[in-house]
Every structure is written in structure tokens, then in C-alpha cells.
Amino acid sequence: MVMTARELDPRVQAFLGGGPKRLLIDGAFVEASSGKTFATHNPATGERLAEVAEGDAADIDKAVQAARRAFDGGPWSRITPAERSKLLWRLADLIEERSELFAQLETLDNGKPLTVARRDDVGGTIDYFRYYAGWPTKIEGATVPVSVADTFAYTLRQPVGVCGQIVPWNYPLMMAAWKVAPALAAGCTVVLKPAEQTPLSALVLGELCLEAGIPAGVVNVVTGYGETAGAALAAHPKVDKIAFTGSSEVGRLILRAASQSNLKKVSLELGGKSPNIVFADADLDAAREGAAAGIFYNMGQDCTAGSRVFVEGRVYDEVAQFIADQAAKLTVGPGLDEATEIGPLVSQDQLDKVLGYIQLGPTEGARVLSGGGRADGPDLARGFFVKPTVLADARNEMRIAQEEIFGPVVSVIPFRDVEDVIRQGNDIAYGLGAGIWTQNLAKAHKVAAAIKAGTVWVNTYGATDPALPFGGFKESGHGREMGFEAIHLYTEVKSVWVNLGES
Ligand code: NAP
Ligand code: MG
């Protein structure tokens, strides 16, 4: 049963009913300087959910100045590591108290199934803040034995400064958490720009930062468009670092903006077209389920989606057919229905893009084994629903196999042997994730080492953990998030020389 508006959490009703959402700048919620707003929609129905302030360059400038003041001599420059720990832990507690508010907002704004939003998006966000709450007291430099007489040398690891953080719409809250938590743990201040399609949960996160006691100006949230607000943040001369997740196309624009302004640091988490490789000697029950889950999770709107499934020749037909049968069984519906496994895509644009690739498949010679178009049904007519689609007899050189579709569409590609699948798997611009299904230990390690990807899963797919680095080879990005690697992204190392001699 689809939850009705009246059955929503009262805090969701209050939030959505409370007039246009405002920007968080310097500890206060304010209108955009221009006074403009834009609408955010529910992708399950196409209905308008809320009006949101349309921040632009003027608002970005105010937010950056606030973040600068908080960092340069403001309260955040004097806070102790232990106090930062406590604030991050308190923030995690507040998110946990508002779990249902966040889960319902994510489902309303992005479309994803509520059961998944609760478990993964909100649950993962809480875990993530708690993990980074442990780091502030453990960010150490080193004493270094330089070969110079009468010298004491050491390193300090210091926060990089004001960080612009630009995030996408596929995991709105979690992507914000992946960026904000390590930045605060490292002692940085933040200007966060959520995606125009999904701005709501970031604003509630900002409110909770204040409630947790994080001083004004440390976390600022500017909603608005990428071409205006996002571009102004990337080009701002007072921003020390930009952290971006999204398309490779915009990643290139961010690098250009950084190089043409103050050479700010840039970390990029971009797209993928990840190979999920099924060898004939795998536990086939697990492998074929893993292949299906690896693409259909989050409607395929996932940078590590296993969107190229490679299957060894002699089990190809059986595995392709299983994935197709699995796809046909998935329940497509509004995310607010707890029976839903596949919600709508995020927007009309994304629907058009994905349908375009579904039509392209057969013209390139692929065969539609299941799905193949919009999902229909009484509940689905107004939303952006697509049937989970399996394209068999695909070849790695086809556009459906080379380009990131970012929808529930998988290309199933046959391969001959280990050498063949390593060559095909790596024959792609991206390098974010890879899956390997085999019971042969030597083969698993050999392929894991040979595939150019930031994360390799053996006999499992898609797991992440705050402690394990995440990021991409090749065009999938620069730098690694999670674990101590993310603390690296948000700190600078300073080498200090001290002359111990008689002057
Ligand atoms: P996108 O344009 O790269 O959006 C990501 C973020 O960048 C959004 O906050 C966006 O703002 C902002 N942005 C856009 N143009 C910008 C600019 N010139 N300067 C600074 N920031 C800018 O991604 P999309 O258009 O939403 O999706 C397009 C494709 O990107 C998808 O189909 C998918 O293939 C890929 N994608 C990948 C990931 C990933 O996790 N790697 C996530 C999302 C999308 P607004 O959207 O608010 O305008
Ligand atoms: Mg966009």
C-alpha cells in the first residue's frame, strides 16, 4: 500500500508545509539574494514537493565568506579535536532521532524505495558520522629523522581550509555525509551544494548541524543550479578545496574552474561502467543473484552499478536468462509502498536518457531479454518508471556497454577466458568498481589485481564501509573518500625544521 500524504511522518508534513526552503548561511536560514526559488518534484508522481531558494554566485560568496571567518580565527579554529569528536557523534545521534523524517524525505525527493532509504541511506549516514567522530583525536603528524646535524624535524597534518562540496541526486543525504563528515573531522569548514533534483535532506542536515552545536558558518548549505551556484563555488578564489561527485562532464568543468582561479585542490568521484564478471566455476546461484542485484540496486542510479555483466561462454545463456527472470519479478512502484523494489528514476531527463539507451540496444545488435521500456500500471502513469531491462548478446564495444546509462539497464556480454575478460573489462574509460565470481582462489586474486578499478568485490557486490577507501581509477575520478584516505583529502602536511644548534 502506498503511504498517503496524511500518513507521512508529522515532521515531514511540517517541513513540506512550511513555505519555501531557505539557504543556510552563517548559521541562519535566509532567502536567496535574488529572491528566486525553484521547485523540487516527487518523481513517483511528478507533483511539486516544495519550493527551494535558488542560490547563485552572490549567495555562494556570502557562504564562502562565512566559512572563511569560521575557519580563519573563528570558533572552528580554536576547537579541540575532542570537541569536534563530540559534535560529530551528537550530530549522528540527532540524525538517528530523525531517521524516519530523513528516509521519507529521500523517498519523496529522489524516488527510492523507503525500505532501502531507511536501511542504507539513513542507516549508512549515521554509521558514517560515527566513524568520522572517532578521527579528530587521531590525526597525527610524525617526527622525522632528517640527516642534518642539530635538527629536529616533524610534520603537522592541518585542515586544508574552506571546502566546497558539490553532490549528486542518487544518494542525496549519504553523498552529503561522505563529504561533510571527514571535512569536519579534519577541522575544515564547508559550503555544500546539493543537486537541484534533491535539495531537501541536505537542508535538514544543515539544521541538525546547528542543533548539535556546530558553530555558525562551519556548515553552509546553498541550494541552486549547477551552472550558477555550483560553478561559482568551483571558481571562488577563497575556496581551498572542491570535493565533487557526479558526471565526468561536470568533473572536467570543475577542474577547469580550479585551474583558472586559485588552483584549489580538487577531488572527484565520477561515473563508472563497472564489469561484474561471472566465471563458469562460480557458485552460480550466488553469482547470478549478485549480477542482478549489482545492477538493479537504486534503479541502477549508482556510480558502481555492475552495468556490464561478463559471463563465461558455457554458462552464458543460463545466467543471462536468470537475470532476465529476476528483472521481471522485481516489483516496480512508488517508493512509499513498502512492497516496492524498483522506484521511479529521479527525473524526466533521466527517464528520457535511459529510454534512449534502451531503444539504442537492439539497433546495435543486442537482444532485449526482459523489460525494454516504461513500466505501466495504475500507480505509475505520472511517474518516471522504467522496467528493469536486460540486454543480451551485447558486445563491449557497443555504446550501451561503453556509456554510463545510470538506470536499471544491464548489458550481458560473453567472454572466453581470464585473459579475454581482463582485456574486455579494462577496455573502458572508467575504473570505479568490479565484481568477480569464482570459487578458484588463484583466479580471483589474479583478476582482482589486473582489473583497473578502485574497488573489487569477490563473490559479493556493492558493499561499502566507512573504513575502506572508495574512489576511481582512470576517468572515474581523483582521490579516495572514506577511511584515513578522506582525512588525507581534507588535510595538508606541513614540514617543520627546528635548529637545535648554538645559532
Ligand atoms: P551532474 O550534472 O554532474 O550533477 C552533479 C552535481 O554537480 C549537481 O549538484 C549539479 O548541480 C552540479 N553541477 C552541474 N553543473 C555544474 C557546474 N558547471 N559547475 C559545478 N557544479 C555543477 O550530474 P547530473 O546532470 O545530475 O546527471 C548526469 C549524469 O551524471 C547521470 O546520468 C550519470 O551518468 C552521472 N552521475 C553520476 C553520479 C555518480 O555518483 N558518479 C551521480 C549522479 C550522476 P544541479 O544538478 O543542481 O544543476
Ligand atoms: Mg545536472
Side-chain angles (χ1 to χ4, degrees), residues 113 116 296 298-299 329-333 337-343:
V116 178
F296 297 131
N298 212 44
M299 293 67 79
K329 274 190 227 154
L330 292 168
T331 306
V332 181
D337 185 336
E338 292 194 359
T340 290
E341 293 165 298
I342 299 282

Side-chain angles (χ1 to χ4, degrees), residues 333-394:
L336 286 179
D337 185 336
E338 292 194 359
T340 290
E341 293 165 298
I342 299 282
L345 300 181
V346 74
S347 63
Q348 182 72 49
D349 283 354
Q350 202 60 20
L351 176 69
D352 294 342
K353 177 181 169 189
V354 170
L355 290 176
Y357 279 106
I358 290 175
Q359 281 155 15
L360 176 66
T363 70
E364 292 190 291
R367 184 162 50 96
V368 178
L369 260 195
S370 70
R374 278 187 91 138
D376 29 40
D379 275 351
L380 310 184
R382 290 174 305 145
F384 312 128
F385 296 92
V386 164
K387 288 183 190 151
T389 296
V390 178
L391 300 172
D393 302 339

Side-chain angles (χ1 to χ4, degrees), residues 169 193 195-197 225-227 247 250 349:
W169 43 259
K193 211 290 286 170
E196 71 192 57
Q197 299 86 347
Y225 295 119
E227 294 74 7
S247 61
V250 174
D349 283 354

